[in-house]
Amino acid sequence: GLSPGDGLMNIHNLLLPIITQHYISAIYLNYKPESGEIIYSYGGHHPMLHFTSEYETSDIEGSGMLLLAVPSPEFKNYSFVLKKGEKILLYSDGLYEIRNRNNNLFGRTNFIRICKLASEKNPDFLEDVANYSINFGGGNQTDDISLLLMERLK
């Protein structure tokens, strides 16, 4: 099959003649449920967040170039094994690049802190994290927000 790096390159090549004024960040991943292996590539996107079964958090390693920023970017493939009870979170920067009424930036460090606090046995985790970010900004969203949480159950 197609590697994540090759997948990002295909997307880049398809969009390059159409989108001339913007860049795109992305993560492309393949998941193998039998082993828990995730093969992924970053296209200028911030790292995914890993949650252990003990609710510790860490960035999932890797980096990569933005799509559409240069004519021929290179995308590296990485591998990570998700163990039973662990989770990964993919999220857009609109959740932490948000400012409040006083023009204070929420920031990625605070976002990760809120994720860690909200993650502990919380079925409403995604909604709580999104609402915290929206409330910090006083309901004034200037960027998209998206969250995808994946948990390995067995």
Side-chain angles (χ1 to χ4, degrees):
L2 194 63
S3 76
D6 289 342
L8 284 176
M9 184 56 90
N10 284 351
I11 294 167
H12 170 85
N13 289 335
L14 286 169
L15 295 177
L16 193 59
I18 301 166
I19 300 174
T20 59
Q21 301 291 320
H22 300 282
Y23 307 126
I24 296 174
S25 71
I27 300 172
Y28 191 119
L29 62 86
N30 294 330
Y31 177 61
K32 298 179 179 181
E34 310 79 37
S35 65
E37 183 181 25
I38 299 169
I39 302 167
Y40 61 96
S41 185
Y42 288 115
H45 206 278
H46 51 266
M48 296 177 280
L49 196 57
H50 173 237
F51 295 86
T52 68
S53 55
E54 291 82 34
Y55 308 107
E56 295 299 317
T57 59
S58 62
D59 286 340
I60 298 178
E61 77 160 323
S63 62
M65 301 177 74
L66 286 164
L67 280 74
L68 311 175
V70 297
S72 298
E74 292 185 21
F75 301 108
K76 182 178 177 186
N77 293 308
Y78 297 91
S79 179
F80 178 82
V81 175
L82 192 64
K83 298 177 185 132
K84 181 181 176 186
E86 295 184 337
K87 302 172 187 170
I88 60 168
L89 179 68
L90 291 83
Y91 55 96
S92 61
D93 59 6
L95 286 153
Y96 63 86
E97 289 180 353
I98 188 165
R99 295 186 179 275
N100 64 12
R101 282 182 275 222
N102 300 322
N103 205 32
N104 296 321
L105 183 68
F106 184 48
R108 188 165 180 272
T109 301
N110 281 327
F111 174 77
I112 291 170
R113 183 178 54 81
I114 292 305
C115 286
K116 182 177 165 87
L117 291 173
S119 70
E120 296 191 24
K121 298 181 183 173
N122 182 356
D124 300 321
F125 168 74
L126 294 175
E127 186 177 348
D128 289 352
V129 168
N131 285 336
Y132 194 92
S133 176
I134 291 166
N135 290 337
F136 178 87
N140 184 22
Q141 289 298 125
T142 57
D143 198 357
D144 67 287
I145 61 168
S146 57
L147 292 153
L148 174 68
L149 184 67
M150 187 171 102
E151 179 178 8
R152 183 168 184 201
L153 299 175
K154 49 183 172 172

